Each structure stands twice: as C-alpha cells, then as structure tokens.
Amino acid sequence: MWDAGERNFAVVAAGLGGTPYVAAFNAVLPDSPHGDSPKRYVEDMLAAGYHLGNEAVVEGLGELTYECIQLLERWGVAFSRLESGAYRLRHASGSSVPRSLCRTDMLIGLHVVETLRRALKDKGVTFYDDTTCCGLTVRDGAIAGITCQAKDGTVFALTSPRVLAAWGGVGNLYTRSTYPADVDGRTLAMAYDAGVNLIDLEFVEFEPMVSYEPPGAVGEPCPTAMLGEGAYLLNKDGERFLLKVRPQGEAGAPKSLINDAIREEVKAGRGGPLGGVFVDLRHIDLAVLKAYPWFYERELDAGLDVKTTLLQVGPMAHSHSGGMEIGPDCMTNIRGLYAAGEAAGGMHGACRMAGNAATQAAVSGLAAAKAMAELKVPMPEPIAPAAITTNPGVRKTVAPAIREVVTRAVERERDAAGLQAALTSLEDLAKQAKEDTFTAQLAECGILLATAALKREESRGTHLRTDFPEKKDEWRCSVRIRRDGDAMRVETVAR
C-alpha cells in the first residue's frame, strides 16, 4: 500500500507467507563463469513454461535480476560466496547453467525477510501484522483501497491509490501442500470479484521431491538442486528411472518432467510403500548435505539420516503459476493495482523454473515499485470497509469439504468428468458458504481453478488431462478468466 502524496507506506500481512522457506534465488550475473545472460535466462524460463509465458513480461523481469541482487545487498542481504569471493551458484531444475544464489547457514528467504523487515521498520513503514486482506475496492477502473480484518476480528479499511498484491498462491486449497497456513488459498476470488483479469489458473505446481517420511518431516521439500549436486532418483527396484526420459542425467531436469516420471513409476507398481519414489543422497559429500541445513537437519531431527538411508519422496502442491494478469510494469487491468510473486500470472506459463520463486517475487516487486513511483494519480476519497461475514460453524464444516473436492478433482491428474462433478459440488458448497466470507471466497477460488482446468483440453506442463494426454499446437495459448457483470468469461490469449 502506498500513498505517494503523503509518502505513507504500509504492509498488511497475516504472516510471512512462503518467503521464509525459499532456498534459492536465480540471478543473471554480469561475470557469470557459465556464460549466462539475460537472453539465456529468458529462454530457459520460457522453455520451462512450455512457451506460454508472456514474453514481454518475462523479458522485462529478466533484465532486472542483477539489479535486484544489488538492491538487496545494499539493504543488507548477504548471499553465500566461495573463498575466491565469487557467488556460490547452484544448478536448479530447468536452468541450463548454474545461476541460483543461496546461503549455506540458513534459508535465503528467511534471511531476506528478517533483513528487509528490520530495514523497512527503521524507514517508518507501518506493519499491520496478523491482519488479513478481505477485499479490494475499485472505483471507475482504479484501485481505491482494501478491506482488512485484524486477528481480533476488527474490520477496517485502508484507502490508497496504489496497492501491490503479494499474497501468494492457492496451495491451501488442497488438503496437503507445502504452503504455510497464512497463504490461505482464497485470494484469487477477491481479485476476480474486483474485476481483475486472471490468467493461467490451471497450472498448479506440484513439487516433485517432497518428503513422505519420517512423520516429523512430512512435507519438507528435498531441493531439486540436490539433483545438480549428484543425487539420484530411484524406483523400488533401485533403477535411476529418470534416465529413461532424460539420458543426459538428472541435473537440471524440469520439475514437470520429474513429476511425470514419478507418476509413471508409481502407476507401474515400481513406487515405494508410501506412494512415492526414493532419492539417493548417500554418496553425496556430507559437507554438501550440510550446506542445505533446513532440509538435512530437519530429516535428521525427525530420525532419518539421508547420508545413510534412502528417503521416500513424491509430489505435493507447492506453487501456482497462474494469478492476476500483469503487464511488464506488473500492473493489472485495474489502474494502480499491481501484483508480484505468486499473486501475478503470466510470468511462468505452464511451469515455474526451480529457483524462480524468490527471484520473481523480488524482481516483480522491484518492477512494480518503479512503476508505482511514476504513476500520477490523486488520493481517492476515503473508502468504507466492505461487508464481511464470519460464521465459525460454516468455516469448520464447509471449508474442509471444499478442499476435499479440489484435491480430488483438480490435483495433478484431471479429466472432464471429474472437473464437471467438482464444479457442481463447489457451486453447491458456495451456496452453503454464503454466511462466511472466507469460506465463500475459498469456494469461488476452487471454481476458478476447475473452470480453467476444464477449458484446457490438452496436457502441458503442470496441467495433466488424462482424457487429453497429448500437448496440442492449438493450445499454445493462455486461458484468461474475467468477470463480465454477473457472468464469468473464459477466453484464450495466443502466445
């Protein structure tokens, strides 16, 4: 939130979102020892997204990665470096060369949050902690402010001519995901209700190597960067099955390819007892494993030493490539309303390249900040808070039912019959949810995802239709959903 006239800034957040859990930060270094360049980064990103990313958006953000690194360092963020002084670079899935910056003592995302939060408070930025955004107010096609609800239930409005939505994705629409609880899965409904164009909603990313064991570490992602360190994926027979579809090796394999390969092994009866496959880290140097302390130490604390024991892993809802449709300046079709990170759609296309979560959140935030500073708009008249209803009984019973429907029908594998049935169920649940704003938005978000998945009659990237298993040239397009009065409009955008 920003009022340029008064230079008042505010951050409204229910929590810290997924940022503290981010392990890598892709960046194009001007002196890359691997011949990296913005052009190569853009090509990799578009290829990882099956060429459905908005090229103008991707190219614009690709040019800003190193500027963003320099900005973060000026604010006190420190990336891991080698003894030579060069940045430590990891090779994440989907990248043709190593370009992921990191830290070896803690998650880079946590370091960024802690560093910037302190610095912003020192600059006088107001933080509304434990506060949820419940709605957007739009007047004459321009943002006018937001409605918020504090932890104690108090509802209030904040008026602003500039709003940056950075509210994360939809992972908690699913019964099991890697998302933190404060990314609650219903924010796209707020955007849709406000008239924001939505794009690529069918592309939900399932992280391929999430721990299925031991009980104390279930849901902890095994970084796909481990494949770049030499890790192997094995089926129950000890075969490196990924080599069948990627003979050059596991390092740099796109996540969608890893997901598909794991699915085929499990369907063929070659998976593990928990429905996953195994990652073999036993031959990896202990110093390398310890350089991923958030992963290695959590597994160790839960009772499994990956240096001596195979770890069973498999897919779990992890991120969303769709969101609010933006231009190169990260503004939506609503004047003054911007989107960054997973709130934004059009950057990743059909699949997000590993290591790009933090990059695209920070870089899109930088691009949005530049555009917000240049946007000349007057302060709107004060807004009143939107009507918010709360019914704990509805939330307790209907919200879990919504998540069960989404998990069953809008999971990794979809088909028309399941999606049609899901829409019928979700529309019925939406009627039951009317007495609770949160639950009603959750149901609407489920309807938006199922609608987009039903529209795309092919399989591409993270979208797998078992009734349309092939990728089709005529579907080299994005699916846009927008509100037209009381009607939902679903259309395609050529790429």
Side-chain angles (χ1 to χ4, degrees):
M1 302 270 310
W2 178 25
D3 166 18
E6 299 295 330
R7 299 194 65 79
N8 292 326
F9 296 81
V11 176
V12 178
L16 297 177
T19 302
Y21 307 97
V22 168
F25 197 115
N26 288 343
V28 179
L29 305 179
D31 55 350
S32 168
H34 307 285
D36 203 4
S37 66
K39 182 175 183 291
R40 189 168 189 171
Y41 172 76
V42 168
E43 289 173 349
D44 284 352
M45 195 169 165
L46 290 172
Y50 290 73
H51 299 282
L52 294 193
N54 182 326
E55 287 195 31
V57 171
V58 175
E59 288 171 357
L61 297 179
E63 293 288 342
L64 286 176
T65 62
Y66 186 57
E67 182 179 340
C68 196
I69 293 298
Q70 293 177 304
L71 176 64
L72 288 171
E73 289 182 327
R74 287 199 300 272
W75 280 71
V77 173
F79 295 93
S80 179
R81 292 177 181 265
L82 303 173
E83 289 185 5
S84 65
Y87 289 105
R88 181 187 300 274
L89 297 176
R90 288 172 172 164
H91 194 166
S93 298
S95 286
S96 59
V97 295
R99 60 164 64 98
S100 282
L101 280 68
C102 61
R103 283 182 70 97
T104 58
D105 59 339
M106 66 189 300
L107 286 162
I108 185 61
L110 179 60
H111 174 54
V112 170
V113 167
E114 291 178 345
T115 303
L116 294 190
R117 187 178 172 88
R118 284 194 304 269
L120 291 173
K121 282 192 171 183
D122 290 343
K123 294 288 186 180
V125 173
T126 300
F127 281 80
Y128 291 87
D129 293 326
D130 297 317
T131 301
T132 301
C133 178
C134 302
L136 306 174
T137 297
V138 175
R139 292 178 182 157
D140 299 322
I143 193 69
I146 65 174
T147 294
C148 308
Q149 186 171 36
K151 189 176 183 179
D152 64 3
T154 303
V155 176
F156 62 96
L158 294 173
T159 302
S160 177
R162 298 168 183 78
V163 172
L164 174 61
W167 50 42
V170 298
N172 280 319
L173 264 175
Y174 295 83
T175 56
R176 189 169 71 166
S177 80
T178 64
Y179 278 69
D182 57 286
V183 184
D184 53 38
R186 38 124 221 141
T187 47
L188 287 178
M190 292 193 299
Y192 174 78
D193 290 342
V196 180
N197 292 343
L198 305 175
I199 203 89
D200 295 334
L201 300 188
E202 65 271 32
F203 298 116
V204 179
E205 179 85 36
F206 289 83
E207 182 71 12
M209 294 165 51
V210 180
S211 300
Y212 282 10
E213 59 174 351
V218 172
E220 176 66 38
C222 173
T224 52
M226 284 292 188
L227 299 179
E229 304 282 11
Y232 305 140
L233 281 173
L234 308 176
N235 60 23
K236 72 173 186 179
D237 300 321
E239 298 172 324
R240 291 173 63 185
F241 60 88
L242 201 58
L243 298 182
K244 292 185 290 187
V245 292
R246 199 170 194 275
Q248 65 267 44
E250 291 93 341
K255 289 184 180 182
S256 56
L257 181 69
I258 302 170
N259 270 316
D260 289 343
I262 291 174
R263 177 180 57 85
E264 290 302 321
E265 293 302 304
V266 173
K267 286 175 65 175
R270 296 188 292 269
L274 299 177
V277 294
F278 301 94
V279 60
D280 189 355
L281 302 163
R282 295 172 298 180
H283 56 288
I284 304 297
D285 188 274
L286 184 60
V288 173
L289 295 176
K290 288 184 175 181
Y292 297 81
W294 58 91
F295 163 71
Y296 177 69
E297 291 175 9
R298 183 176 178 188
E299 298 291 346
L300 199 61
D301 291 344
L304 191 150
D305 186 353
V306 297
K307 180 62 179 170
T308 61
T309 308
L310 293 175
L311 172 66
Q312 191 167 177
V313 298
M316 197 176 290
H318 179 67
S319 68
H320 192 206
S321 294
M324 302 158 72
E325 187 176 13
I326 60 170
D329 61 355
C330 296
M331 189 161 72
T332 69
N333 60 299
I334 302 299
R335 186 172 175 81
L337 177 62
Y338 299 79
E342 275 191 67
M347 292 184 282
H348 304 298
C351 183
R352 193 195 76 201
M353 190 165 70
N356 254 4
T359 307
Q360 297 312 314
V363 175
S364 55
L366 174 59
K370 289 185 173 187
M372 292 167 79
E374 295 174 358
L375 182 65
K376 307 301 181 185
V377 287
M379 185 69 178
E381 291 295 320
I383 66 169
I388 302 298
T389 58
T390 302
N391 187 315
V394 168
R395 193 172 301 192
K396 183 177 180 180
T397 58
V398 181
I402 293 168
R403 292 188 173 100
E404 288 290 344
V405 172
V406 172
T407 298
R408 182 175 64 251
V410 201
E411 254 277 12
R412 173 67 179 154
E413 295 185 0
R414 302 102 179 252
D415 60 48
L419 291 167
Q420 290 281 15
L423 284 169
T424 299
S425 296
L426 289 168
E427 287 164 0
D428 179 61
L429 289 166
K431 295 174 184 176
Q432 300 176 44
K434 284 184 177 179
E435 295 180 5
D436 185 74
T437 297
F438 173 94
T439 310
Q441 290 172 339
L442 201 68
E444 187 173 39
C445 199
I447 290 170
L448 289 165
L449 262 64
T451 299
L454 184 61
K455 177 69 173 178
R456 182 173 291 280
E457 295 182 340
E458 67 156 358
S459 292
R460 184 188 296 260
T462 59
H463 173 72
L464 176 59
R465 283 285 296 266
T466 55
D467 49 349
F468 295 99
E470 303 298 325
K471 184 174 66 173
K472 300 178 180 179
D473 290 341
E474 61 264 34
W475 279 101
R476 185 167 168 172
C477 59
S478 287
V479 174
R480 174 191 288 148
I481 297 180
R482 60 185 178 88
R483 185 168 186 165
D484 185 3
D486 292 331
M488 180 182 291
R489 300 296 181 193
V490 184
E491 56 200 27
T492 59
V493 181
R495 296 298 191 199

